[in-house]
Amino acid sequence: MKHHRAGLKQDIVGLRKTFWDDVTVNLDDAHEAAETFSSIKQQAEMLSERERTHRLQYRQLQKIQKLKASPYFGRVDFTEKGESSAEQIYIGLTSLMDETNEHFLIYDWRAPISSLYYQYSPGKARYEVPEETIEGDITLKRQFIIKNGTLKAMFNTDMTIGDEMLQEVLSGHSGQQMKNIVSTIQKEQNEIIRDEKSKYLIVQGAAGSGKTSAALQRAAYLLYRGRGVLDARQIVLFSPNILFNSYVSAVLPELGEENMEQATFQEYIARRLGRKFECESPYEQLEYCLTEQNQDALSVRLTAIAYKASSAFRTMIDRYAGSLSVSGLMCKQISFRGEILISKERIEDYFYSLDQQLPIPNRAELTAEWLLAEISALEKKERKKEWVLQESELLDKEDYAQVYQKLKKQAADDEPAFDDHQREQRLLGAIIVGKAFKPIKQAVRQLGFLDIKRMYLRLFSDWGSYETPDQWQSIGALTRKAFAEQSLPYEDAAPYLYLQDLIEGKRKNTQMKHVFIDEAQDYSPFQLTYIQNIFPAAKMTVLGDVSQSIYAHTITGPSSLAGCFRNGAEKYVSLKRTYRSTRQIVEFTKALLDDGDDIEPFNRNGEKPRLLRADTEKARQEQLTETIRELRQKGWETIAVICKTAAEAKKVFQAVSVASDVRLINKENQPFQKGVCVIPVYLAKGIEFDAVIVADASVTQYNSQHDRKLLYTACTRAMHHLTVLSPGETSPFIKEVPAGLFV
């Protein structure tokens, strides 16, 4: 393999060097030019084919090198119905065939036959291949731990995946990046990974139940099954933040697949609206809600957030957009050099003069065509004005060169004679005015004459005053104030884009075939429906945990994963067993919830969580510094000091950074690294750490039902060790935890 690849590489280098030697260039006439083109095309295709083969062989070599270190992790002996002897099926990260390429030595974990390993205990079993189901008996099921080519452990098991193997994998350190879990996929995770039928697969999973891991292995499985028809660029993962993106970025490449597209919903908003507004992020929105002292202002904002997140608001926008078909469309006037070229009234009149049976986006396009014709006529008149003459005297060399070339061509074409100066002036005028009108035409083509801002704000006037919250007028005032400052509150982003798409025409992406939404409990019903609208052709995998609903729209409203997927095309899977934390940490964290009884801890032992109380801020700081020192001495590589807000994180960081080497993470675009970090809970979501210190679990910090979820989210980040500090009286949620579950 290595020899073949080296030979191919030399081939490619040689082809590139001698590319033009093997091409006959002759452009004397049309026939010769066509032959030259054909010769170049042939040479380019040959080079491209060699490069593609080289790429494939390089990937294959990488896979084989991985197999060398850890060739397989499972074995199933399977006797097919009607056969007398069992076949030994070895399962690894990727397939490996014998030298004749006829028999599999190792099967890829995603192959249909490999599902036997994940799905069944010894006894009757079956797996599906295209067109048929193969039945038989499993007579042996064995697991291996192989590291750097050395067999470390081997177990025969009756379970799906033996606890010994999971113990081995889970007891390791948390790293900078998430690991793949192919050797320890559980039966319930396997169901998620291999589901190919559901349009919407909705996964409710407890913290640490392997939701995200299963989703990433699912992407790898879909790419394996869809070879030739599905590309990694046709799968997108909406993740909670960029920090999380860096954390999960290694999983697919480790499985030999290209990384899928990764985005945050905030990035999508900024790409669409970042030129018009300063777009608030969900973290800024939550930070405001957790720190605002003015209770009246906070009450209005929370009501606005809850209503703008709801399907009721979407219904209102649908009704409003429908009414614009008859009247109420608002446009901007088109001005040039301080003068109105075309008034907004004239544009609106033209729009409503068109056939009312036509959808609004079609009429908007026809209005744009009419405007471009009007503007072109006005552009010609503008060339004769005095300002154009003045501008022509200040032109740069390039523009003059352009005019000179045109004049030469006209002379060659033998145009009727003009005074050269007059002709030059006319061409210069056309260039100057053309440049000045270019941005206007561009804006018209992009339907910039539609005043979406004013139309959106009209929702908060008398038009939308029925079936709305009591504080509707205050909500309107709040929204108008933000828009006047060119600021877009996070709760307005999806509704604003939704209305814009209804008026301008939907921005649909039909290329995307699969959409993954992680931490889906953080998306409002409005946002989830909007994502469905953007990707109408895609299947969706939606993963979340309602116990970790911490975003602002859930402070006063309910949280639901499935609210907008009830159309008969959805399938629900529940993951109750949690693997991230030790049994002692899980017993403690599930007791923080009202309804945590059905969460099952995996039986991995560790020390009980610690609760440290302090009477003064100074004592708390000393406890914090001492705990960090102890955890470092124990060899834990990733330690997080988790705070409720960014403001608190900054304060804690300033206090401990004097005595310890720590990093402050307060922005979602910071990379995930080893060491000690101080981080607000909403940025730690989805990530796990060897050890966690909750910086302040006092009653002043965590007392509302929303705070309960924040505290639960913070504590469930811990894999091996959890310390909870409480300056003053402890949070009521910790008081509810039975005393025997912590020290």
Side-chain angles (χ1 to χ4, degrees):
M1 167 67 77
K2 213 166 189 175
H3 175 72
H4 278 308
R5 197 172 68 85
L8 252 177
K9 191 172 182 180
Q10 282 180 328
D11 255 16
I12 290 164
V13 171
L15 260 173
R16 282 180 181 159
K17 279 182 180 169
T18 62
F19 188 94
W20 292 105
D21 300 353
D22 301 324
V23 172
T24 42
V25 178
N26 189 340
L27 304 172
D28 289 350
D29 57 39
H31 176 70
E32 295 292 350
E35 280 215 2
T36 296
F37 174 72
S38 169
S39 172
I40 293 171
K41 191 164 176 276
Q42 198 177 347
Q43 192 76 347
E45 278 171 0
M46 186 161 68
L47 180 60
S48 169
E49 189 273 328
R50 296 280 166 87
E51 285 176 335
R52 196 178 65 83
T53 311
H54 180 263
R55 261 198 314 275
L56 286 172
Q57 290 202 352
Y58 177 69
R59 274 193 212 141
Q60 223 171 329
L61 182 63
Q62 279 186 313
K63 286 179 182 176
I64 288 170
Q65 281 167 341
K66 276 180 189 158
L67 283 183
K68 196 177 170 186
S70 181
Y72 46 82
F73 51 78
R75 170 183 157 185
V76 177
D77 289 5
F78 182 67
T79 310
E80 202 177 308
K81 202 173 177 180
E83 297 286 332
S84 56
S85 60
E87 184 189 351
Q88 293 180 359
I89 298 151
Y90 284 89
I91 295 156
L93 266 185
T94 186
S95 302
L96 181 69
M97 298 190 86
D98 63 10
E99 288 175 0
T100 60
N101 260 359
E102 284 178 15
H103 301 289
F104 279 98
L105 300 174
I106 299 168
Y107 285 91
D108 190 296
W109 64 278
R110 296 164 291 188
I113 199 168
S114 302
S115 65
L116 293 169
Y117 174 74
Y118 297 115
Q119 211 71 22
Y120 295 99
S121 302
K124 295 267 180 243
R126 61 185 188 174
Y127 65 96
E128 289 181 17
V129 293
E131 313 297 329
E132 65 172 321
T133 301
I134 310 289
E135 295 186 349
D137 283 282
I138 294 176
T139 51
L140 174 88
K141 186 166 173 183
R142 183 170 288 167
Q143 298 164 244
F144 307 89
I145 296 174
I146 301 172
K147 288 181 180 170
N148 301 324
T150 307
L151 180 64
K152 299 281 186 186
M154 179 175 83
F155 329 101
N156 282 358
T157 179
D158 294 335
M159 312 250 310
T160 306
I161 303 298
D163 278 3
E164 298 97 330
M165 188 147 180
L166 261 173
Q167 290 276 16
E168 172 74 26
V169 172
L170 296 172
S171 59
H173 291 298
S174 157
Q176 282 172 244
Q177 292 176 316
M178 183 179 274
K179 304 172 185 79
N180 82 69
I181 59 159
V182 293
S183 60
T184 57
I185 290 166
Q186 302 296 290
K187 188 174 180 177
E188 67 274 19
Q189 292 169 332
N190 192 50
E191 187 187 347
I192 294 164
I193 291 165
R194 290 177 188 259
D195 181 300
E196 292 183 64
K197 292 175 184 156
S198 309
K199 169 80 172 166
Y200 302 118
L201 180 63
I202 296 147
V203 181
Q204 157 60 41
S209 57
K211 298 181 293 292
T212 305
S213 294
L216 295 165
Q217 320 299 315
R218 173 165 169 71
Y221 176 78
L222 292 170
L223 287 166
Y224 174 83
R225 295 285 289 162
R227 282 280 179 268
V229 289
L230 182 67
D231 188 287
R233 286 165 300 188
Q234 293 171 307
I235 302 179
V236 63
L237 166 68
F238 277 100
S239 56
N241 52 54
I242 299 165
L243 179 71
F244 179 87
N245 281 356
S246 81
Y247 179 60
V248 301
S249 61
V251 176
L252 282 174
E254 201 180 314
L255 297 170
E257 299 294 348
E258 282 182 42
N259 242 332
M260 58 185 142
E261 300 288 317
Q262 282 176 255
T264 64
F265 190 56
Q266 181 62 18
E267 282 176 316
Y268 177 80
I269 291 165
R271 199 168 69 242
R272 290 277 314 269
L273 297 174
R275 288 180 183 176
K276 290 183 187 176
F277 294 103
E278 188 68 44
C279 301
E280 181 187 46
S281 77
Y283 309 110
E284 290 164 334
Q285 183 198 55
L286 182 57
E287 191 72 26
Y288 167 84
C289 295
L290 295 176
T291 55
E292 176 57 54
Q293 298 300 309
N294 180 335
Q295 289 307 304
D296 292 342
L298 180 60
S299 165
V300 172
R301 181 85 197 265
L302 287 174
T303 309
I305 288 168
Y307 186 71
K308 289 172 181 178
S310 68
S311 357
F313 190 43
R314 196 183 76 246
T315 306
M316 182 208 249
I317 292 174
D318 284 334
R319 211 171 55 234
Y320 175 56
S323 77
L324 294 176
S325 194
V326 183
S327 67
L329 189 93
M330 296 178 178
C331 294
K332 300 175 195 168
Q333 65 191 25
I334 294 173
S335 305
F336 182 70
R337 292 179 64 82
E339 286 179 26
I340 296 171
L341 287 183
I342 304 170
S343 71
K344 56 189 173 192
E345 293 79 13
R346 201 174 149 213
I347 302 171
E348 288 159 15
D349 288 346
Y350 183 84
F351 178 88
Y352 284 113
S353 73
L354 296 165
D355 182 357
Q356 277 198 13
Q357 300 306 309
L358 285 173
I360 290 175
N362 295 44
R363 283 192 267 170
E365 288 293 344
L366 290 170
T367 305
E369 284 174 26
W370 167 74
L371 278 171
L372 288 169
E374 292 287 306
I375 290 165
S376 292
L378 291 165
E379 186 185 345
K380 280 177 185 161
K381 286 184 188 171
E382 197 70 27
R383 291 172 189 169
K384 299 186 177 96
K385 295 197 175 168
E386 181 62 32
W387 71 270
V388 180
L389 189 65
Q390 290 168 0
E391 290 272 323
S392 68
E393 289 162 11
L394 304 169
L395 276 185
D396 56 29
K397 286 176 190 172
E398 283 170 26
D399 291 320
Y400 272 116
Q402 196 181 334
V403 169
Y404 177 70
Q405 291 303 326
K406 280 191 178 176
L407 284 171
K408 245 172 80 171
K409 188 176 182 304
Q410 284 178 5
D413 292 347
D414 222 1
E415 263 199 0
F418 273 115
D419 169 17
D420 266 357
H421 177 69
Q422 196 181 7
R423 196 185 291 177
E424 183 184 289
Q425 200 56 51
R426 193 188 66 193
L427 284 169
L428 286 171
I431 286 171
I432 291 161
V433 177
K435 267 189 178 176
F437 270 69
K438 192 179 177 182
I440 297 174
K441 287 178 171 176
Q442 214 167 342
V444 168
R445 283 189 196 99
Q446 291 167 354
L447 308 182
F449 57 90
L450 295 169
D451 200 338
I452 308 290
K453 277 189 189 179
R454 272 173 65 227
M455 285 187 268
Y456 182 75
L457 288 174
R458 189 164 167 249
L459 283 164
F460 304 94
S461 66
D462 295 341
W463 191 94
S465 58
Y466 50 93
E467 294 175 34
T468 49
D470 295 340
Q471 294 169 303
W472 193 238
Q473 282 192 325
S474 304
I475 290 171
L478 186 73
T479 313
R480 281 189 287 275
K481 181 176 183 291
F483 275 43
E485 293 164 0
Q486 301 303 312
S487 170
L488 183 73
Y490 184 66
E491 63 268 24
D492 286 293
Y496 184 94
L497 281 169
Y498 183 70
L499 177 66
Q500 182 174 320
D501 289 351
L502 286 176
I503 295 168
E504 294 182 357
K506 287 195 169 66
R507 297 274 183 100
K508 288 184 175 175
N509 181 330
T510 52
Q511 300 305 307
M512 238 9 119
K513 292 188 179 173
H514 210 108
V515 174
F516 286 83
I517 302 177
D518 202 4
E519 303 289 349
Q521 76 281 350
D522 293 338
Y523 291 76
S524 69
F526 201 133
Q527 289 169 338
L528 285 172
T529 311
Y530 183 66
I531 292 172
Q532 283 172 267
N533 281 347
I534 309 169
F535 304 106
K539 288 183 173 181
M540 289 172 82
T541 302
V542 178
L543 313 111
D545 176 15
V546 287
S547 298
Q548 296 181 69
S549 307
I550 65 169
Y551 274 18
H553 68 269
T554 64
I555 292 176
T556 56
S559 174
S560 162
L561 269 189
C564 47
F565 294 104
R566 295 198 182 106
N567 59 5
E570 73 283 3
K571 175 182 172 181
Y572 298 97
V573 179
S574 182
L575 299 177
K576 293 175 180 169
R577 201 173 190 211
T578 174
Y579 302 95
R580 172 185 297 139
S581 311
T582 60
R583 186 171 54 77
Q584 287 76 7
I585 292 173
V586 175
E587 294 292 0
F588 175 84
T589 54
K590 69 185 256 191
L592 294 171
L593 296 175
D594 281 333
D595 52 357
D597 294 343
D598 59 351
I599 295 171
E600 300 166 20
F602 172 71
N603 194 18
R604 178 169 68 85
N605 281 312
E607 52 195 47
K608 284 181 183 178
R610 289 191 305 172
L611 173 64
L612 300 178
R613 292 190 184 87
D615 295 329
T616 64
E617 182 55 32
K618 186 170 183 286
R620 195 268 299 248
Q621 279 178 27
E622 284 168 2
Q623 285 174 343
L624 186 51
T625 309
E626 179 58 23
T627 305
I628 291 171
R629 192 185 60 75
E630 277 175 32
L631 293 172
R632 274 194 164 131
Q633 274 182 344
K634 285 181 180 176
W636 299 127
E637 292 178 355
T638 57
I639 301 165
V641 179
I642 299 183
C643 304
K644 184 178 174 183
T645 63
E648 188 204 345
K650 194 174 176 184
K651 229 162 69 181
V652 168
F653 172 73
Q654 285 165 347
V656 297
S657 59
V658 181
S660 308
D661 175 24
V662 296
R663 284 186 319 119
L664 174 64
I665 295 180
N666 57 2
K667 290 188 178 70
E668 64 269 28
N669 57 358
Q670 287 166 272
F672 188 76
Q673 292 171 357
K674 286 184 181 179
V676 185
C677 67
V678 181
I679 186 170
V681 59
Y682 48 80
L683 286 181
K685 271 172 72 68
I687 298 172
E688 57 191 29
F689 303 89
D690 288 332
V692 163
I693 305 164
V694 177
D696 181 350
S698 65
V699 66
T700 52
Q701 286 285 52
Y702 297 99
N703 49 57
S704 71
Q705 283 305 311
H706 179 255
D707 292 339
R708 184 195 286 273
K709 291 177 176 178
L710 283 166
L711 182 59
Y712 172 74
T713 303
C715 293
T716 52
R717 300 308 94 208
M719 287 175 70
H720 309 294
H721 176 96
L722 173 64
T723 295
V724 178
L725 303 180
S726 178
E729 192 187 340
T730 310
S731 162
F733 310 124
I734 291 176
K735 286 179 181 172
E736 288 170 16
V737 176
L741 296 181
F742 60 90
V743 292

